[in-house]
Structures are given as structure tokens and as C-alpha cells.
Amino acid sequence: MADVAAAAGVSGQTVSRVANGSARVDPATRARVEAAMASLGYRPHRAARALRTGRTHTLGVVVRTLASVGNTRMLESVVAAAAGRGYAVVVASLAGGSGEDAAAAFASLHDQGVDGAIVLNEATPSVRAAGPPAGMPVVAIDSGGDERFTSVESDHAGGAAAATTHLLGAGVGAVHHVAGPARAYAAAERERGWRTALERAGADAPKVWRADWTAASGHAIGRRLAADPDVHAVFAANDQIALGILRALHEAGRRIPEDVAVVGFDDVLDAAEYWPPLSSVRQDFDALGARAVQALLARVDGAASTHDVVPTTLIVRRSSGGSAS
């Protein structure tokens, strides 16, 4: 560190601030110090730094499943955002869905010395049942308004309302909804947004179909929807469910969007490659990950809990009558 300070013409304290990702360094000085680090091959010693600062620069992530695209994308964005702040990530997977499983996951992360933890989507109900762990800052994705946690979430309800309003605007009559699991906060919020849009339009809410986030469950429900000649619009709770619905409609000879318009949620990377290209509500996973990491590091520094909602955007493509791109 002394060699880097001499090469960059700064104090050892400035080098320490740069190495620890402090914001209290002006950009020109930071660039000069980083150039000196690169030329001298300097790398912070994580164990020594932990002894000195009391922090390991490691964050924990609690997951319930990575089978759904949303959870996988969230983990990817959190890892990228943490790396950008000089932090490593340790993942703890829940063995089941109980509060005891969540407590065990936090105990494992505590034993590994993490500075704090981020709870991803589907793991949040278990963590809410267990309560926040003593002495560990936690940020919960989709906390359901639980004030015990700092939380970050997408505007699920607003995005669902936008999708439903878009379908209603096409004059399709009733907009049917294939929801996610009843226990999932995101699924409940998307269903709420769907109902809100129908109420505003003075339209009745048809029966809610319940899927499990997978394309297979969407296909099974889609076959029943495709057999009903009165179904002309479907809002699916995620893009995987929508993919199964598209397949079922194709198999039944129902044209998309001429006979049935379909909108999904998430806007996965392949959504534009579905046939037809899928209209979808886009979640900004990069922003979600960055804000979750930022909120957690603020909690590590002693900041108060916050509740952050990241906007969503409806992307209209051919499946609901838009352009194919």
C-alpha cells in the first residue's frame, strides 16, 4: 500500500479508501491510484483487511430456487453489482420453505462472516417467517411491505396494470390471468395490478388460473384456455408461463394475436425470439441488483431501513398486436 501511495503521489489513507470502495475519493485521484495499483500488481489481502476493518467484504445471498428466470436474473445482477463495489458473494440455498430453513441459512452465512445478506424473491416468505437475524443487516427482495426489512422490489402491480390496460385497449373483451404461485409476493402483486386495471375499466375479473412459473404449467392451463372460444386475451404472470400458453394456442389452431392476444412479465432475453415475439412487462434486473447492494451496504454502515420500488416498462410486440421487434 505504501508503494502504491508513493507511485500515485497520495497518502496511504487515500489508497485504503480506494481499495475499500469508499466514495470519499475524487474520480481523478481514484483513477491515478487504480493505475498505480495495476502497474504494481497490488491486490488487497481480504483476510488482513477483515482483521483491520471488521468486515470481510463478502455478502450473502439467500435463495429458495433458481429454476425461475426471475430468480436467476436477480442473482446475476446482485453478483455483478457486488463485484462492482469490491464485494464477493456467498450463496445459501433454503433446504425447504420454513422459517427454520431460513434461520439455518442465516446461521450458515454468519459462520462464513458475511457483512450482510440479500434475500431473493421466492425465499422472502420463509425469511419473513423466521424474522430478521440478530446482528446481520438484511435486504429482502419483494418483502411484501414488511417494515422489519430494508426492501427493494419491482413495481409488479403497476406493470401488471399496464399490461391489462393494453390488452383491454385492443377491444378483446375479458382479459384472463394465469397467475404464479399463491405464496409468491410477486404473483400476488401482479394479480392485484390485473384486478385494479379491470376495476378501473369497469370490466369483470374472470377466474384466476394458478401456475407454478414454469412453461409446462402454462401449457397445461393454456390448453384449457385455447379450448374456450370466448378467450381472446391472456396476461401471464411471467414469460415462461406465457411460452407454454403460446404453444397451447398454436396446437389448437388459435391465431396469435388475431384470435388471442398474450402478454407476459419479466421480458426475458429470449422474449423477442418467441413466436410470435412476446409482449412483456420488463423488470430492470440490473437496477434491482444495484439498488439491493447499495441498500445493503448502507445498512452495513448503519443507515435506516428503506423501501425502494423500481419501475417496470411494458414492451409491446407481435403477440398482442404490436410490431415484431
Side-chain angles (χ1 to χ4, degrees):
M1 187 175 287
D3 292 340
V4 171
V10 299
S11 67
Q13 185 179 35
T14 298
V15 176
S16 177
R17 286 174 177 166
V18 172
N20 287 300
S22 171
R24 298 169 57 194
V25 183
D26 71 81
T29 301
R30 182 184 302 277
R32 194 163 69 250
V33 171
E34 289 175 344
M37 288 177 169
S39 66
L40 294 173
Y42 172 81
R43 295 290 185 275
H45 192 286
R46 190 176 297 273
R49 182 167 61 184
L51 288 173
R52 185 178 70 254
T53 65
R55 297 183 183 179
T56 63
H57 274 67
T58 302
L59 303 181
V61 175
V62 179
V63 301
R64 175 72 178 86
T65 177
L66 293 176
S68 67
V69 173
N71 281 272
T72 303
R73 292 282 303 279
M74 270 303 311
L75 177 60
E76 181 182 42
S77 67
V78 166
V79 170
R85 300 291 291 270
Y87 280 75
V89 169
V90 175
V91 177
S93 179
L94 299 184
S98 68
E100 289 78 9
D101 293 316
F106 282 128
S108 173
L109 292 176
H110 182 273
D111 290 345
Q112 296 178 73
V114 301
D115 296 332
I118 294 173
V119 182
L120 295 193
N121 316 57
E122 301 300 305
T124 298
S126 301
V127 170
R128 290 175 63 189
M136 182 185 295
V138 173
V139 171
I141 307 296
D142 292 345
S143 74
D146 192 324
E147 295 182 355
R148 296 176 299 169
F149 299 96
T150 291
S151 64
V152 178
E153 65 181 70
S154 289
D155 184 6
H156 302 288
T164 304
T165 300
H166 163 67
L167 288 169
L168 289 169
V172 295
V175 176
H176 297 258
H177 181 42
V178 181
R183 190 166 178 260
Y185 172 75
E189 282 294 282
R190 293 169 196 178
E191 181 179 337
R192 182 172 71 85
W194 168 72
R195 291 186 184 279
T196 297
L198 293 177
E199 289 172 4
R200 287 174 181 167
D204 293 331
K207 167 188 174 180
V208 173
W209 298 87
R210 190 71 60 187
D212 64 5
W213 297 130
T214 66
S217 66
H219 178 252
I221 295 170
R223 291 178 64 183
R224 301 175 73 175
L225 292 170
D228 185 345
D230 292 328
V231 172
H232 298 290
V234 181
F235 166 51
N238 76 346
D239 291 348
Q240 289 170 286
I241 294 172
L243 176 60
I245 293 170
L246 293 180
R247 176 190 167 193
L249 292 170
H250 286 307
E251 290 173 343
R254 303 290 299 276
R255 298 172 303 164
I256 311 165
E258 292 84 0
D259 298 329
V260 184
V262 180
V263 177
F265 202 109
D266 286 336
D267 193 36
V268 299
L269 294 176
D270 293 333
E273 308 305 323
Y274 288 7
W275 184 250
L278 180 67
S279 295
S280 184
V281 177
R282 177 176 294 169
Q283 291 199 75
D284 190 342
F285 289 105
D286 291 339
L288 282 166
R291 293 194 192 186
V293 170
Q294 180 180 7
L296 180 57
L297 296 184
R299 290 287 291 129
V300 169
D301 287 335
S305 294
T306 57
H307 178 65
D308 193 4
V309 179
V310 180
T312 52
T313 306
L314 174 63
I315 307 299
V316 178
R317 299 190 178 95
R318 183 76 181 92
S319 72
S320 65
S323 64
S325 59

